[in-house]
Amino acid sequence: MFRLKVIKNYGKMRVLPLIFLWLSYLSFCNGYRLLALFPLQVKSHFVMFEPLMKGLVRKGHQIDVVTSFPLKKPYPNYTDIVTVPITLKLVNNMSYEMMNNLISENQTHVVGTIGGNDLCKLLADSKIKELAQPKNPPYDAVLMEVFGAQCLGIIAYLLKVPLIGVSTTSLYPWLHQMVGQPENLAFVPNNMLTFTAPMNFWQRLYNVLRTLYDKWLFHYMTTREQTRLIRENFGPDMPGVRELERKVSLILINSHITLNGIHPTTPAVVDVGGLHVYTESETLQPELKKWMDDSKDGFIYFTFGSMVMIETFPREFLKILYASLGKIAPVRILMKIPAPEKLPPGLPENIHVSPWMPQLKILKHPNIRAFITHGGLMGTQEAVSCGVPMIGLPLFADQFTNINAYVARNIAIRLDVKTLTEKSMDAALNAILQDPLYRESARNLSQRFLDRPLDAIDTANYWIEYVIRYGENSLRSPAVDMTWWQLSLVDVIGFLLFCAVLIIALIVFIVQFMFKLMHKGVNTLYSRKLKAN
């Protein structure tokens, strides 16, 4: 907590400054000092982290941040304490070819390397090492992305403060065990698969085998390497990365029951889906506002997110877009194109392009009629919160899963980039614009998504403060300290089976013994009868 210096000479102070001083004290008396470790060089992840940290600051806390995306404008009590140089230039820089190369990579392998071991090399940085030294005033907790680089938890371990995880999506298979999160693979699909519940037998079988494989592969790739980096930089007696994971007190996950379905959970896992749906930092240019206001027949917003460059896609794909989107005039299209000059000629007149768009303000505009998207979780959650139906063209990672979930809820139509035709694009546009089912379903889902006892940032703030107040083990599940075979009751079932076999064997022995006695008795009587005759 923040402390104000005691003012010795009260007599010389005026009344108003004194009142202001005490009001300032009261405004900070419940505040905590937090350290946030978010160095991953993926802008779409930071889209959640930045509003989370700004929201915590608005609640009266102070935050020091390690990131690759420092703020462009100062924000009170928010300090970019370490800026990690960007080596992966992904923002508005992923071509169609790069995207295809990424698709060919195993997703678990990508997380374990780019999102895991590579980030753990930052532990050798003197600025990062300095964070593990005691501070005055001290940190009250450490926030860290739980993804692939749980090695960063060594900072919280050395500072002896609670470690709070943040996940930009539902939990990856290797993260559940950190907090003893129950897994039921019978009806909860691995979040790297495209399955939606309910799953058939073959899907459930594949779900189990794939989940076991993903866990094994991630641990195989990261355990030895990340443990080595921890001990190399902080001492040979430091805990391994798997032990550090078990120090996580709370995980805030970007999910919600309306989108992700019903999952078994432990209190240490808290849904804060849609936390980033906040427009404080967005500005709407006057000319763009006028364009949207003048779109009396409505408009469609089209973007492939913060990384992918639509203009690098095959000419045949862009030709289909031009033809189909041009047909729906006077409905207009607003497209985010990082490099508009690279587009082929012939752009229809009803399309307006720009390298940057204030996405949430666009999705909230009353004239918007649909959202054409690659299916990124952040953008689609914004569309859900605004009640906007979607046409999904998933490209990689969790985008297929996200769009499938929205299709199942009748708020989206899915198309395939590889097999897209003008006919299928025309049909999707006509359906999303003309069929009231999609708009009504989107509005109903939006209402359910926003209907909560506390909004997302208040929920996150409450549970962070709860862990700080009552200790790092206040939400700890007993499952964290149990082995898989204990959790699955393999020992209990094995013991009961042993007892059952023992009882059955005993019964069989007794029955056989009784039959032998009876048989012996009959033989004795028969022998005596023969002798008597």
Side-chain angles (χ1 to χ4, degrees):
M1 296 187 181
F2 302 109
R3 298 175 181 175
L4 298 176
K5 293 182 179 179
V6 179
I7 308 299
K8 297 180 179 180
N9 192 358
Y10 291 101
K12 295 182 180 179
M13 292 186 64
R14 297 179 180 179
V15 174
L16 287 178
L18 181 61
I19 293 174
F20 177 79
L21 180 67
W22 282 105
L23 286 176
S24 299
Y25 173 78
L26 289 173
S27 67
F28 286 102
C29 65
N30 291 321
Y32 294 109
R33 189 182 185 199
L34 308 174
L35 174 63
L37 307 175
F38 298 128
L40 184 67
Q41 298 179 23
V42 180
K43 182 66 173 179
S44 59
H45 284 231
F46 202 71
V47 167
M48 177 185 177
F49 303 146
E50 183 178 327
L52 168 63
M53 293 183 289
K54 286 183 175 179
L56 293 172
V57 164
R58 292 195 301 274
K59 298 298 178 183
H61 307 302
Q62 177 183 334
I63 295 188
D64 293 337
V65 186
V66 176
T67 179
S68 294
F69 304 99
L71 296 184
K72 295 180 180 179
K73 296 180 180 180
Y75 201 87
N77 293 319
Y78 180 120
T79 305
D80 291 307
I81 193 171
V82 178
T83 299
V84 178
I86 293 180
T87 55
L88 291 171
K89 295 183 179 180
L90 298 175
V91 177
N92 290 333
N93 196 47
M94 182 178 288
S95 67
Y96 183 78
E97 184 180 356
M98 289 173 62
M99 184 194 75
N100 283 330
N101 291 336
L102 180 62
I103 293 172
S104 65
E105 290 281 346
N106 178 283
Q107 191 174 346
T108 303
H109 186 272
V110 172
V111 175
T113 52
I114 296 176
N117 296 347
D118 290 351
L119 286 182
C120 291
K121 294 175 184 177
L122 292 172
L123 294 177
D125 190 296
S126 59
K127 294 180 180 178
I128 301 295
K129 286 184 176 180
E130 175 63 24
L131 296 176
Q133 300 299 317
K135 301 294 184 296
N136 186 22
Y139 289 114
D140 297 290
V142 172
L143 276 64
M144 174 188 77
E145 180 177 14
V146 286
F147 187 53
Q150 282 67 257
C151 59
L152 298 175
I154 189 64
I155 306 297
Y157 175 83
L158 292 171
L159 293 176
K160 296 180 173 59
V161 296
L163 178 60
I164 295 168
V166 185
S167 176
T168 58
T169 183
S170 58
L171 296 183
Y172 283 94
W174 51 85
L175 299 177
H176 293 77
Q177 64 188 34
M178 292 167 53
V179 288
Q181 170 78 341
E183 284 185 281
N184 194 320
L185 297 175
F187 68 91
V188 180
N190 180 328
N191 70 339
M192 292 192 291
L193 301 178
T194 59
F195 300 154
T196 56
M199 296 178 285
N200 60 36
F201 170 78
W202 298 110
Q203 288 175 328
R204 286 185 285 117
L205 176 62
Y206 185 75
N207 191 40
V208 171
L209 296 178
R210 174 62 185 273
T211 299
L212 292 174
Y213 172 75
D214 286 332
K215 289 181 179 180
W216 172 82
L217 179 60
F218 180 80
H219 289 162
Y220 174 78
M221 293 181 59
T222 62
T223 301
R224 180 179 298 178
E225 177 63 11
Q226 294 192 18
T227 298
R228 181 188 68 80
L229 290 168
I230 290 168
R231 291 173 178 169
E232 187 177 275
N233 290 288
F234 293 95
D237 57 339
M238 290 294 104
V241 66
R242 300 283 85 91
E243 185 180 346
L244 282 177
E245 287 180 340
R246 295 153 70 89
K247 302 292 184 182
V248 173
S249 303
L250 166 71
I251 301 179
L252 305 172
I253 60 174
N254 188 25
S255 65
H256 191 265
I257 56 172
T258 56
L259 307 183
N260 302 87
I262 304 298
H263 292 195
T265 60
T266 173
V269 173
V270 176
D271 286 339
V272 292
L275 182 147
H276 67 290
V277 184
Y278 186 75
T279 60
E280 179 191 55
S281 61
E282 289 191 335
T283 56
L284 190 60
Q285 309 96 314
E287 59 274 16
L288 179 58
K289 182 179 185 304
K290 184 179 185 304
W291 186 93
M292 293 190 293
D293 291 342
D294 291 344
S295 301
K296 302 304 180 184
D297 294 288
F299 68 90
I300 293 174
Y301 176 48
F302 189 159
T303 179
F304 276 172
S306 63
M307 296 190 296
V308 176
M309 303 174 70
I310 300 176
E311 58 271 32
T312 65
F313 277 52
R315 286 292 189 266
E316 185 60 31
F317 175 83
L318 295 174
K319 181 180 177 182
I320 291 170
L321 291 185
Y322 281 17
S324 292
L325 295 175
K327 291 177 187 176
I328 63 174
V331 176
R332 293 171 153 188
I333 294 87
L334 187 60
M335 290 184 70
K336 175 187 173 292
I337 303 292
E341 68 279 2
K342 294 184 179 180
L343 283 173
L347 189 71
E349 292 183 0
N350 62 329
I351 298 180
H352 175 73
V353 300
S354 177
W356 177 85
M357 298 283 183
Q359 182 161 290
L360 191 53
K361 286 188 179 293
I362 292 171
L363 291 171
K364 286 185 174 182
H365 196 278
N367 287 343
I368 192 166
R369 296 184 63 181
F371 180 31
I372 300 178
T373 173
H374 63 310
L377 185 57
M378 303 300 174
T380 55
Q381 282 185 345
E382 291 172 1
V384 167
S385 71
C386 297
V388 180
M390 294 172 270
I391 294 176
L393 289 157
L395 304 176
F396 55 84
D398 64 339
Q399 297 160 14
F400 297 91
T401 305
N402 298 336
I403 294 299
N404 285 351
Y406 303 138
V407 169
R409 289 160 176 76
N410 295 318
I411 67 167
I413 297 171
R414 175 178 164 176
L415 298 173
D416 191 327
V417 170
K418 301 289 186 181
T419 60
L420 185 70
T421 63
E422 187 176 333
K423 182 178 179 180
S424 63
M425 189 68 188
D426 289 347
L429 287 167
N430 289 332
I432 210 75
L433 293 173
Q434 305 300 332
D435 191 341
L437 171 67
Y438 296 102
R439 171 66 68 174
E440 292 170 4
S441 298
R443 287 173 177 169
N444 290 336
L445 188 63
S446 173
Q447 183 177 358
R448 291 180 56 202
F449 183 67
L450 298 173
D451 190 357
R452 315 179 189 194
L454 291 173
D455 66 24
I457 187 59
D458 286 335
T459 301
N461 182 69
Y462 173 83
W463 288 108
I464 289 172
E465 291 184 349
Y466 184 95
V467 167
I468 295 174
R469 283 195 301 267
Y470 301 114
E472 61 183 9
N473 294 325
S474 54
L475 299 176
R476 185 181 179 87
S477 169
V480 176
D481 301 313
M482 300 174 70
T483 62
W484 68 267
W485 47 269
Q486 290 174 320
L487 285 172
S488 302
L489 294 176
V490 172
D491 52 345
V492 173
I493 294 171
F495 178 76
L496 292 176
L497 287 175
F498 173 77
C499 291
V501 170
L502 188 64
I503 292 171
I504 291 171
L506 184 61
I507 291 173
V508 169
F509 174 78
I510 292 173
V511 169
Q512 289 178 338
F513 181 74
M514 294 298 295
F515 270 112
K516 286 182 181 179
L517 287 179
M518 291 173 62
H519 183 67
K520 185 176 181 180
V522 169
N523 287 340
T524 301
L525 290 173
Y526 183 69
S527 299
R528 288 177 180 177
K529 187 176 180 180
L530 287 176
K531 289 180 180 180
N533 292 333

